[in-house]
Amino acid sequence: MANANLQIIHGILYGKGLRLGKLSPLGQVMATMVGKHGDYVPFMGPQIHDHAMTVAGVPARKFYWDPELLVSTQMAVQRWYGFDSYTVISDAYNTEVEALGAKMIYSDNAMPTVNTSVPLIKERSDLDRLGSLDVTAARIPVAVELCRLITERIKGPFGIGFFCSPFSLLCNAMGYPRAVRALMRDKAYARELFDYAENEVIFPFLKAQAQAGVKSSVGPDAWSAFPNLTPDLVEEWVVPSAKRLAERGKKELKMSVSAGTAACDYCEEDPAKFDKEMMFRCWDVASGLSFLKIAFSGMGRTQDWDMRWLQEYALSRGKGGKLPIFASLNSRFVRDSNPAQLVDKIREWIGIMGRDGRLLFFIGSVPADTPPANVHMAVRAVHTLGRYPIAKDLSAIRVELPSFQPFDRWLKGQPEEDVIMKAREQ
Amino acid sequence: MQKQLEKIRKAVVEGEDLEAASLVEEALTAGFPPLEILNRGVVAGIDETGKRWKANEYFLPEVILAADAFKAAMGPLEPKLKEGEQGGKGAHKLVIGVVQGDMHDLGISLVIALLQSAGFEIIDLGIDVSLDSFISAVKEHRPVALGLGAYMTTTMLRMKEIIGELERQGLRDNLKVMVGGAPTSQEFADEIGADIWGKDAIMAREKALALIGG
């Protein structure tokens, strides 16, 4: 069943109990999100751009400027790993500020990055000087085309455009200390900053996306994660801003706009400071911002979490059922662990959160230097241990490191081969 | 005197930068010993901030404001401390910088503020620092420790190259290497042969103090 829309419908029906036919990977994801579960716990595609670029051996100076290459490389690498859905995104935090004239650093082997030590916004008058976003400047046309391609190639809830949410955009334009100081010390200035970010920068970008046919766009907002911002600050600033953008997107662009993604993501690093009450509060605030009603662990140090808390949260907020849990393996944990440690963690989590369904795995983000064997192992472990019905004694199930072809050998004959090989030549 | 020092401590804890600077100036004008102002006012404020951070009473925004207040308080105080060769200056040098290709300066600016409050003399190489610049600075200043920051998974790999070069040039024996930054971990620090991993700025300060027996 090649048609993605049919796979989605098949998955929804399958998850609701009409268990007919062989479910596709995307169908497994939809069955779990909308119904109870598919045939196994799915592993969704993570944020992977730098890692995909490294695995595919394509140069950064080409990768981040070529929408076709960016999409093709990420889709190929995610299929090589056997993820059940795609996530394709670029360096989403940079696009708008780069076009406004931020000082950037470009390299041969990493995504562009903003030099916040030379801030674009130092004082109020800079807002007038910068003016509105020029949607023909820098990589904005690349990003618009990228959003269009993602929407075209990846159907379902993951085929969406992107933008940088207001607070993260302000952090990139002025540095986090200046931005947070404004929120806490100069509210009038902070309101002006949000107004500028929403109306003069983000909205023109969204309008360009809408004109290219993008129907839905999400705004990552990692600078609003906890403890960068507290839930109180997120509720005071990020939530109202996200509502304003959503309303304006719906009314003027007929577009679903979801800002503040990753705001209140619980990213406390010290296990000794993990606080159940604060976690629940963060998840409640984050849930109010998400375009999906889910229980979500994001970029935090999840390997040290007590996942019974996330399960309890999903049950308590599920209105008689259970919210789907998007459980993230921490990116550094996946990179730094050995295969046995990964399998043990996945076994523990499936035992806690998978038995009653509605569990999906992903990786917070995949660092460039992550050993591919670790990612293959994680996917194999989730698909093996997460097969329904979940085994009573998960410790009795052995998970072997899967044999996998080197990426270059696997790539031969794949639809993305030409695009990737040509980029290497250049 | 105690009342004034308490006011300074409180201003730092509450992140009131202008007030902290003005209170320090008042204390200096009143003839309080600079080292007393430093230790019982300014540093006491940073210590209290660290305690509140560890107790989940303070989060990053409050720490940022406290670090601002610390820097503001140090403005009038630093020249007086230098005049008297006080405040640990010259005793424990620490060279610090963000590795080449990486422009993130939030973490390092916090770490520097907190290490200064612990009495270290900081040689700040800034951001986007080349391997050669780190090596030259270590040769020139002979610090007790070298701090390396990286905030991207691609740039963090340069830390290993720097440690390797220090070993090749025979500079590693009496030098502790501290690493930190969002993508780093204890496992990564162990793998590349670093001595200390600072999970956050408060922890970096604690570990650096332990290093010099503070």
Side-chain angles (χ1 to χ4, degrees), chain B residues 26-61:
Chain B
E26 273 176 28
L28 288 169
T29 308
F32 295 173
L35 199 57
E36 287 288 298
I37 300 171
L38 177 73
N39 290 332
R40 291 169 59 197
V42 182
V43 173
I46 283 292
D47 284 344
E48 177 63 24
T49 302
K51 279 182 197 157
R52 291 187 186 193
W53 164 262
K54 286 180 92 172
N56 270 342
E57 291 167 12
Y58 265 18
F59 304 102
L60 201 52

Side-chain angles (χ1 to χ4, degrees), chain A residues 115 117 181 273 335-336, chain B residues 53 56 68 103 127 156 185:
Chain A
N115 182 354
S117 65
R181 222 173 279 135
K273 290 174 66 184
R335 184 192 63 200
D336 298 335
Chain B
W53 164 262
N56 270 342
D68 277 355
M103 314 299 264
I127 54 173
M156 64 190 271
S185 60

